[in-house]
Amino acid sequence: MAIVGYRQALHRSFIVCCICVAGIQFAQISYYEAKNVAEAVQALHWQGSFILALIPFFFAFVALYTGQRSILRWFMVVAAACTALLVAHLMAPFGLRFSTLELAPPIIMPWGEKLSGFKVSMSAWNISLRMLIMVITFWAVWRARGQYRRGERRSALLLVCYLGLHLAAFMHGALIDLGIVRSIYTAAFAFAAVPLLMGFGLVMDLDERSRTQARMLHELEESNQSLLSAKRDIAMLAHFDPVTKLPNRAHFREHAGKALRATGEPGLGGALLLLDLDHFRTINDGLGHHVGDEVLREVATRLQSVVGEECILANLGGDGFVVLCENRGSDANGVRAAAIHLANQMMAALQTPMQVGEHRLQVVASIGIASFPQAGAGPFDIFRQAEIALYRAKDQGRHTTKFYQSSMRIAVEQRLAMDRHLRGALERREFSLHFQPQVDANRCITGVEALLRWRNPELGMVSPVLFIPLAEETGLIRPIGNWVLEATCDQLAAWIHEGVEFGDHLAVNISPWQLSDPLFVEGLEKLLSSRSLDPRRLMIELTESSLLFDLEGCITKLTQLRAMGIKIALDDFGTGYSSLSYLNDLPLDILKIDKSFVRTLRSGERQPLASGIVAIGNHMGMTVVAEGVETENQREVLLEMGCEFHQGYLYSKPLEESAFRRWLIEGGSLSRAEAANENNPDQSSGFASPEISANLPEKFQRA
Ligand code: C2E
Ligand code: MG
Ligand code: MG
């Protein structure tokens, strides 16, 4: 063992110790076999020399074994002392052990064997040598104690075991030398325990080391496993959306790039469909991201179920999804028909409400489609075209599918310009409120609706039909909506204070996004009490889309608002996506028939839709208000149907506050021409910017 590790000082000192002990033992044998005094003295000289050589190396061994670093100085001291003793030993007639030595009468053993022996007397040197060995032994015990305390318990205990044996053998040797005991010396046998103990220690060490290695191996395997799974996760994150587990934008770009580039091949065409959830922000902000994520997962599953194997479905991040379909052998018309069919299927897949926790949510989407190949259009252009078509779908009231047409590009550029101008419009005080009266069958005013107006120096007057959806998408609706509510309450307070006869209520439009704010009810309550307003004078108008996302949540909030006294109207009724079934559960005061139903009213013609809505509203005990009443004819038809409350250009356009007051004073006699001027003094059309008005729905251009 010592030779294997001979490079270390500890092992080298142990080798010397072993050699010395062997020497001592051989000398002891020679002593026992000595026939005369001279031979015995020679053996004793050898033995003493080995003992004195052993002492400094044993010292070194213990010091190194117990972890002492710098031993050279003390080793030299012990070695010098032992050298001095060695000289004295060799010069003494019988060595240092004995002062006298003579042949003793032989001992006859019971079996007849004759053993010769020597009669000796112990010298003073012997005692001092033994004292030195005792000192080194106790010093070794002290060192072992330190080692034990440092935590190297097994090594320390093994050393103490050996020192115990050594001490016993040493005492035994002293008793022999004193002539008290007649026996052979056992010190060397005690030393033989050292290799055994060291071997035992080594086995234990090896065992421990192999266990440590096994543990380390296990840890390495574990960390290797976690490294592999981290690599997998990274690869997954790099290529798949973490929420929906669908391929992500980067992954899609790679595949789509290849597919779109290959469109040069004859007979290979297809379509790119971009789907964006309408009002997803409302769900995310109103109900929390965990609900939003659940919705996205469900949407992904539903879309996947309708998108075939030949198409790639990917998530572009958040609520944006993309589908790429290749149709081999189809002409442009075939591609178009297939894409529209798929878009309809996707819309239909989202139709059924989804249950997320306690929320029952209805999700709708807009889809933009672009087809390929197109001359000179690369993958980026086709993607951009689908994006433009999607914007168009969003602009046109959402929940629609639009196929890209080159004329849409201009509209999108205007949209981007509008987005740029809309940011900061509030700070630049570009918003104002206009007011449109609501009247009864006798043309008496029953209430007023506040309508937001945006006049931008560059764009002119921009319709809320255009900028409200944009504000909803960009999140700007929050500050804008707050401003509208505050301005409405200020106006209400001023009119009440000044005794203006504006009917029962002032109505304000609330976007779904505002209603989904968990603090909406609380905020409105604070606002009303800060202006000391009677909540019964305020009406909020909601569209059906507000109710789509979280019907139960809406019912709770509306019930709270109604309990405060605030009136609630359902705006644009009949244009929404949902069934009438929820009407019963909603705490509503007013149902507003959308102007699209009013526009088509003609006397003498059957009007099943409009009359149906009026009948439902009346049946449920709600006041039905028709909006968009423009002609006397429409008024009469409505009155015949039993709809007595109207709002529309026939009575007044939405007016600035001062014009509205004049309208009131003049008993609603402000002429339509005057109203048009009042509404927009510098332009005869309601919306100044030709670009913007060019994109307005027909109804607004007529305004
Ligand atoms: P709405 O709440 O249904 O408002 C009625 C719209 O119909 C108004 O358009 C009004 O000018 C128009 N209108 C009224 N009478 C007639 C008529 O006889 N013929 C025609 N063709 N139109 C008539 P406006 O002011 O452009 O507002 C459009 C929509 O924008 C509003 O529809 C409302 O949904 C939204 N909106 C307006 N102001 C706000 C607001 O402050 N907040 C929110 N969230 N939405 C608003
Ligand atoms: Mg309204
Ligand atoms: Mg309306």
Side-chain angles (χ1 to χ4, degrees):
M1 272 189 312
I3 289 167
V4 169
Y6 75 100
R7 282 178 202 284
Q8 291 175 22
L10 172 73
H11 292 90
R12 267 181 274 158
S13 60
F14 184 62
I15 292 170
V16 180
C17 289
C18 289
I19 293 167
C20 292
V21 169
I24 294 167
Q25 208 59 0
F26 277 119
Q28 188 67 40
I29 294 165
S30 310
Y31 175 69
Y32 286 140
E33 288 186 341
K35 304 269 181 304
N36 50 46
V37 172
E39 278 180 20
V41 167
Q42 197 182 17
L44 284 175
H45 273 148
W46 275 112
Q47 190 184 44
S49 303
F50 280 120
I51 289 171
L52 288 165
L54 172 68
I55 291 170
F57 287 99
F58 179 71
F59 165 79
F61 170 73
V62 172
L64 293 168
Y65 182 86
T66 54
Q68 191 160 330
R69 295 260 173 269
S70 48
I71 58 155
L72 192 64
R73 205 149 49 100
W74 283 104
F75 175 78
M76 296 305 275
V77 171
V78 177
C82 289
T83 313
L85 285 170
L86 181 66
V87 175
H89 168 67
L90 293 176
M91 284 173 56
F94 306 110
L96 288 184
R97 247 175 103 180
F98 305 120
S99 53
T100 59
L101 184 141
E102 56 194 56
L103 210 57
I107 306 163
I108 314 283
M109 302 308 286
W111 54 89
E113 193 184 352
K114 204 165 95 182
L115 292 179
S116 56
F118 296 98
K119 217 170 127 196
V120 293
S121 54
M122 208 159 109
S123 70
W125 281 105
N126 189 328
I127 294 166
S128 56
L129 190 68
R130 285 184 185 278
M131 292 301 279
L132 178 66
I133 293 170
M134 282 291 271
V135 168
I136 291 175
T137 307
F138 284 114
W139 166 81
V141 172
W142 177 75
R143 293 285 314 159
R145 180 174 159 267
Q147 196 181 19
Y148 186 85
R149 283 191 172 179
R150 276 202 311 279
E152 298 170 36
R153 297 191 170 184
R154 196 176 49 239
S155 305
L157 286 174
L158 288 175
L159 180 64
V160 169
C161 280
Y162 160 68
L163 290 173
L165 283 173
H166 166 76
L167 207 61
F170 178 77
M171 300 303 276
H172 180 235
L175 292 176
I176 295 170
D177 283 359
L178 285 169
I180 300 168
V181 173
R182 292 199 72 184
S183 166
I184 54 164
Y185 290 98
T186 50
F189 296 111
F191 190 80
V194 176
L196 287 177
L197 291 173
M198 277 189 76
F200 176 69
L202 198 72
V203 169
M204 299 287 274
D205 271 357
L206 278 174
D207 185 49
E208 199 165 276
R209 239 181 258 177
S210 60
R211 260 186 285 137
T212 315
Q213 271 177 0
R215 206 175 50 237
M216 277 166 69
L217 195 74
H218 182 68
E219 280 171 11
L220 262 171
E221 269 168 10
E222 267 184 1
S223 69
N224 196 29
Q225 281 300 326
S226 55
L227 198 77
L228 282 175
S229 80
K231 269 190 186 167
R232 269 199 301 273
D233 286 353
I234 289 168
M236 177 83 182
L237 278 179
H239 291 279
F240 293 89
D241 174 63
V243 177
T244 57
K245 305 281 181 278
L246 288 177
N248 65 8
R249 187 184 281 269
H251 190 83
F252 178 77
R253 198 181 293 157
E254 228 171 78
H255 276 70
K258 269 185 229 153
L260 292 173
R261 267 190 291 276
T263 54
E265 292 172 21
L268 192 64
L272 190 81
L273 292 89
L274 283 184
L275 178 144
D276 193 273
L277 300 182
D278 296 336
H279 297 293
F280 181 68
R281 185 187 284 271
T282 315
I283 295 177
N284 235 5
D285 293 0
L287 304 178
H289 287 257
H290 57 290
V291 177
D293 287 354
E294 248 345 290
V295 169
L296 289 179
R297 273 191 278 275
E298 178 64 23
V299 168
T301 314
R302 290 188 187 191
L303 293 181
Q304 192 77 75
S305 68
V306 291
V307 172
E309 287 292 304
E310 313 84 62
C311 305
I312 313 168
L313 169 68
N315 181 276
L316 298 175
D319 60 334
F321 294 84
V322 61
V323 180
L324 180 93
C325 283
E326 291 172 68
N327 306 85
R328 281 183 187 272
S330 302
D331 61 356
N333 285 339
V335 166
R336 190 188 167 96
I340 291 179
H341 177 67
L342 178 61
N344 290 341
Q345 279 185 308
M346 284 158 74
M347 289 284 206
L350 301 180
Q351 203 78 48
T352 332
M354 51 183 77
Q355 192 74 36
V356 179
E358 76 266 28
H359 308 283
R360 197 171 148 77
L361 306 168
Q362 169 83 63
V363 174
V364 283
S366 304
I367 299 178
I369 312 172
S371 63
F372 54 85
Q374 283 173 39
F380 178 79
D381 302 299
I382 289 160
F383 197 87
R384 186 82 192 119
Q385 287 176 3
E387 218 167 35
I388 289 171
L390 176 67
Y391 286 150
R392 196 71 184 138
K394 291 260 173 197
D395 278 347
Q396 301 220 327
R398 303 184 170 103
H399 194 219
T400 40
T401 301
K402 288 280 161 203
F403 212 95
Y404 173 77
Q405 284 160 9
S406 50
S407 58
M408 289 176 180
R409 194 174 277 276
I410 307 157
V412 166
E413 274 156 22
Q414 285 161 1
R415 190 179 203 272
L416 291 174
M418 195 156 73
D419 183 26
R420 226 179 24 249
H421 289 292
L422 195 57
R423 294 166 198 279
L426 209 54
E427 289 73 28
R428 293 192 299 270
R429 296 172 173 273
E430 290 174 8
F431 292 113
S432 63
L433 288 183
H434 280 199
F435 303 93
Q436 190 179 31
Q438 294 164 347
V439 299
D440 62 12
N442 302 319
R443 299 177 191 254
C444 290
I445 188 161
T446 55
V448 183
E449 179 174 5
L451 292 156
L452 182 60
R453 293 291 173 264
W454 176 31
R455 187 191 293 278
N456 179 267
E458 267 183 57
L459 302 175
M461 194 70 117
V462 187
S463 164
V465 176
L466 294 177
F467 72 81
I468 294 283
L470 190 62
E472 282 174 344
E473 260 165 58
T474 53
L476 283 170
I477 192 70
R478 176 182 257 178
I480 295 175
N482 284 344
W483 180 88
V484 170
L485 273 174
E486 280 178 25
T488 305
C489 287
D490 286 341
Q491 194 58 72
L492 188 57
W495 284 347
I496 292 171
H497 181 70
E498 293 168 33
V500 176
E501 298 283 335
F502 64 93
D504 290 338
H505 59 260
L506 177 55
V508 62
N509 293 285
I510 300 294
S511 113
W513 197 89
Q514 281 172 281
L515 186 68
S516 71
D517 180 355
L519 298 175
F520 178 73
V521 176
E522 204 180 305
L524 192 53
E525 195 173 11
K526 274 190 195 148
L527 183 65
L528 287 169
S529 67
S530 72
R531 276 32 172 206
S532 310
L533 282 172
D534 177 358
R536 283 171 302 183
R537 304 301 298 272
L538 185 74
M539 177 184 287
I540 59 167
E541 292 194 4
L542 305 159
T543 52
E544 282 174 84
S545 55
S546 306
L547 317 167
L548 279 179
F549 310 109
D550 176 19
L551 189 59
E552 283 79 14
C554 273
I555 293 174
T556 315
K557 280 182 194 159
L558 296 184
T559 311
Q560 288 170 341
L561 291 171
R562 206 148 177 246
M564 280 160 58
I566 294 172
K567 290 186 190 127
I568 296 156
L570 189 59
D571 208 349
D572 303 342
F573 184 71
T575 56
Y577 331 106
S578 329
S579 65
L580 297 173
S581 58
Y582 60 76
L583 269 187
N584 250 340
D585 305 325
L586 288 166
L588 297 174
D589 297 284
I590 287 183
L591 208 60
K592 291 183 83 176
I593 312 178
D594 189 64
K595 38 190 175 295
S596 55
F597 296 103
V598 177
R599 195 186 305 146
T600 52
L601 295 180
R602 306 263 184 287
S603 54
E605 284 179 21
R606 273 192 72 243
Q607 307 295 337
L609 274 175
S611 54
I613 293 172
V614 174
I616 290 166
N618 287 339
H619 177 74
M620 290 184 169
M622 290 181 234
T623 305
V624 180
V625 176
E627 58 179 21
V629 184
E630 294 184 354
T631 64
E632 281 296 341
N633 192 266
Q634 288 166 348
R635 175 174 181 265
E636 277 158 26
V637 177
L638 284 163
L639 288 174
E640 273 167 31
M641 278 179 192
C643 175
E644 296 185 348
F645 299 92
H646 304 164
Q647 181 181 342
Y649 295 169
L650 177 65
Y651 310 99
S652 169
K653 293 186 75 174
L655 300 168
E656 274 180 0
E657 206 256 339
S658 57
F660 174 68
R661 283 201 193 208
R662 274 179 51 205
W663 182 88
L664 281 178
I665 293 162
E666 290 164 17
S669 61
L670 204 68
S671 73
R672 289 185 72 178
E674 266 182 294
N677 280 341
E678 201 69 56
N679 193 28
N680 190 5
D682 37 51
Q683 300 285 332
S684 56
S685 120
F687 302 98
S689 163
E691 296 87 356
I692 298 296
S693 58
N695 296 306
L696 290 178
E698 195 195 332
K699 56 196 176 190
F700 287 97
Q701 286 186 41
R702 281 198 284 123

